[in-house]
Amino acid sequence: MTQSLHERNRAALARALRRILPSEAVLTEKEDLRPFECDGLSAYRALPLIAVLPETVEQVQAILELCQVNEVPVVARGAGTGLSGGALPHREGVLLSLARFNRILEIDAANRTATVQPGVTNLAVSEAAAVHGLFYAPDPSSQIACTLGGNVAENSGGVHCLKYGLTVHNVLGIEMLTMEGERLRLGGQALDGPGYDLLAVMHGSEGLLGIVTEVTLRLLPRPPTIQVLLAAFDSIPAAGEAVARIIGAGIVPAGLELMDNPSLRAAEDYVHAGYPTEAAAILLCELDGCEAEVAAQTERVRALLQAAGASEVRVARDDEERARFWAGRKAAFPAVGRLAPDYYCMDGTIPRKRLAEVLERIAALSEEYGLPVANVFHAGDGNLHPLILYDANRPGELRKAEEFGGRILEICVEVGGTITGEHGVGREKIDQMCVQFDADELRYFHALKKAFDPDGLLNPGKAIPTLHRCAEFGAMHVHRGRLPHPELERF
Amino acid sequence: MDADQRDALQARVREAMEAHTPLCLTGSGSKAFLGNPVRGEPLSLAGHRGILSYEPTELVVTARAGTPLAELEAVLAAEGQHLPFEPPRFGPGATLGGTVASGLCGPRRPWSGSVRDHVLGVTVLTGKGDILHFGGEVMKNVAGYDVARLMCGAFGTLGILLDISLKVLPRAEASETRVLECAADAALDTLRRLGGESLPLTGAAHVDGCLYLRLEGSEATVAETARRLGGETLDEADSFWTALREQTHPFFAGEAPLWRLSLPPAAPLPVHDEPLLLDWGGAQRWLRSFRPADAIRAGAEALGGHATAFRQRPQDVDAFHPLPMAARQLHLRLKEVFDPQGLFNYGCLYPDL
C-alpha cells in the first residue's frame, strides 16, 4: 500500500536524521509539519515527508549527504515569506528549515560589511549596522520577516532598486553547500573573486543549486537627508511621462512608485495617507543624499512633475509627512486585500515606456474575466504588481484569477519584459517560463542545474519547467488560440 | 561598419565543432595580454557591431558585442549618460564584448558597481553552436538562472557574446578631485573614516605619497564636500583618472611583474617595501613585485582576497588565482555545459577550461 510505504519511508528517514540531529529538530507529525505546508503564496500547499531544523553547517552537510545517498528531495526554507511557492514542500522530501541560523556573525565597520547566517532577517542587518551609521540597502516589503538566505535565493528587490540595486548587487560573498555536501565559499569581503561568477548564478536560483549557509553583505553609509514628493495625475500616460522626464533629466531617485486609482483609493481608505482620491494615478518620488544635493533635486523634480502635467505636487514638510506619504504605498497590498476576500499579486517587469499600454490591456482583461485589478508599479525599475481581486470560495474563481494572472505575464514578455521581477518563478509561474524561454534555453538551464546538483534533488519541480511540461502548456495555449505572436512560426 | 554577423559566426563555430578546431576569440586585441595564452585559430568578433537600441529615459542600451567602446560611450555621452563602471580600454579599438568578457572596471567601481552589476541580458553563441538569450532589457528580472552575469569575466570560455544589454546612468553634473599628501597607511585610515559617511565619492586612489579623492554630484554638493575634505584641487583631474584606469600612469611602467590584488578595502598594508598603488578606496591594489607568485597569492588569500598576475607575468605563473577543489569541479562542469569540446579560449582562464 502506498500509504504504508510512505510511512515506512518516513520512519526510516527520521531514524537516520535523528542520528544527525537532536530528536526535537526532526519533525514528522502532521501537526508539526503544518506550519511548513506553504509559503507566502498560500494557494499552493503540501506537507513534507519530514521537516528538519538544523543548527550547524555540519548538520546541514550531513542531512544533504544522507538525502543525496537516499535520493530524497530537499526543499530549503527561510521565513517562508516568498510569493511564488518556491518553498512549497515536496511530499516525498525533507523540508530544510534554516530558521535556527539566526546569528549576525560580524559587523565590520572598517570594511563596511556584515556577515550573517542565512536565517537572519533583512531588517535586523540594518538595525545592527545603525550604530555605525550604516545600512543594508535592499528592502523587500517583507523585510521585518524575510531572511537573507531567502533574499539570495530570490534575488529580492524592494522599493529602492533603481539607485541601490537588488540583492545580487549588495552581496559580496556567500558560503554554501552543494547537494553533494561540498562546502564552497564564493566571494568574501573583497569586491570580486577569481573564476566564474558563481555568486551571481546563486542569486535568484530559488534553492535549486545549493544551500546558502552564510552571507556577507555590503553596507552603505546612511544618507543624511531624505525627501519625498507626491504628485497626482489625471491620466496614467501623464504619470508615465513624468517618470521619463525625471530620469531623462539625469536624476536617479532612491524610490519612484506609482499607484493607480484603485490602489491609491484602497490605501487611502485603509491608512488615511491624505492621497488625492480623484487622481488617476499618484507618483511618489524619494530623493536621498547630502542636504544640498537633496534640496537642489527636490526643486528640479517639483518643476519636472509640474511640467509633465501633475494636477498637484506636494513636498513632505517633515519626517512625519514623509512617513505618511509612504504609509499608503507600504500598506497597498493589505489595503487592496480589504476590497475582496482574496487577492493574487503578480510580479512582471516591463520597459517603463510601455506602462500605459500594458495597464490598458490589463484593464481590458479585467473586464473579460470580471475580476477587478489594482496596480502598483515600481516605476523606477519597471516592476509592475497587478493585484487581482477574487473570492476563493466561489467555485472556479481562483483558477480564473490564475489564468488572468498568467495572461498578464505573457503581455509582460510580449512588450519586452519578464514574467517575474522579484518574486521568483517558484511553482507559480512555471508555465509562463515556457513563454519567456525556448526549449534550447530551458535545456541549458537544466544542464546548469545538473552541474550543481547532478541528481536533481534540490527543490525539484520549481523555477525551471521540464520540456514536457512546456509542450503540454504550449498545446493547451494553441488550443485556446492565445499563443503570443501567433504570426510567428513555431517549431 | 555596423553588421550583423551572427549567422556567419554560428556557421564558423559549427565548422570548428566538426573539425575539433580550438578557437581563439578576439575583439580588437586590446586585452590580449590578459589571462593565460590561448592556442587556437583566431576568430575575430569585431565585425559583429552596432548599437541595436538605446533609449536614454529607459536607462538601457543594447549593442552588438563588437561595438567599439569609444563609439558606444560617445553615443551615451551625447545624452549625458555613461557606463558607470568606467571600463578600461587598454587600446583604441576596445570592444563592448571584450569589456564584458574580461569584467574589468575603472576607479568608480566601488561606488557604481561592476560590469556584471550593469549587465541586464546577453545573446550568446555557445560551444555547441546554439544561440541563446538570457536576461533582458529590464532592470529587475529573476526568471531563470542568471546566465547573463555568468558570462561576465568568463573571458569567452563559456560562449561568444553576440548582443549585450546594459543598464546605463546619468553622468554627474560636476566633478572635482582633491589631493591630500599622506603616506599609504594614513590614506587607508582616512578612507576608512570617509567610508562611513555619505559622500559623493566616486574615486579614491593613493600613489606616490598622495591620496586622490574624486567627488561627483551637483555643483553645490561637490564644492561643499571638497571644502570639507581639505587638500588641494587637482588640475587636469580627468587625465589623472584616465591614466590610472588605462594604466598609462608612470607607476605602471617598468619591468617588475604587475599584480592586481583584490582585497577587503581596509586590509592592512604589506610589510614589504614594494611599489604599491591603492585604487577603489583600498579594495584594488596594484603591486610591482618580483617575489614568488605563491607568496603573493598566499598573502592576498590571508587577507581575504585574491591576486591576478596582470602584466609582465613571469613564465610558469598562472594568470588567475587558483580555485579550491570544489569550485574547480563546478567550473569544469559549467564548461562542459556551455562548451563541451573546449573550443573557446581554452586555457585562458584556467588550464583546463
Side-chain angles (χ1 to χ4, degrees), chain A residues 375-399:
Chain A
N375 291 286
V376 295
F377 185 53
H378 301 304
D381 46 48
N383 191 193
L384 181 65
H385 293 308
L387 304 162
I388 302 171
L389 305 179
Y390 72 100
D391 181 354
N393 286 327
R394 273 191 220 145
E397 200 149 302
L398 167 63
R399 193 87 2 251

Side-chain angles (χ1 to χ4, degrees), chain A residues 236-237 239-241 243 258 281 283 350-362 375-377 379 382-384 415, chain B residues 58:
Chain A
I236 300 264
E241 173 62 22
V243 170
L258 188 149
L283 199 58
I350 54 172
R352 270 189 301 263
K353 62 183 171 188
R354 309 291 291 265
L355 175 67
E357 172 198 342
V358 169
L359 290 188
E360 254 170 52
R361 290 175 67 180
I362 291 175
N375 291 286
V376 295
F377 185 53
N383 191 193
L384 181 65
V415 300
Chain B
E58 296 285 316

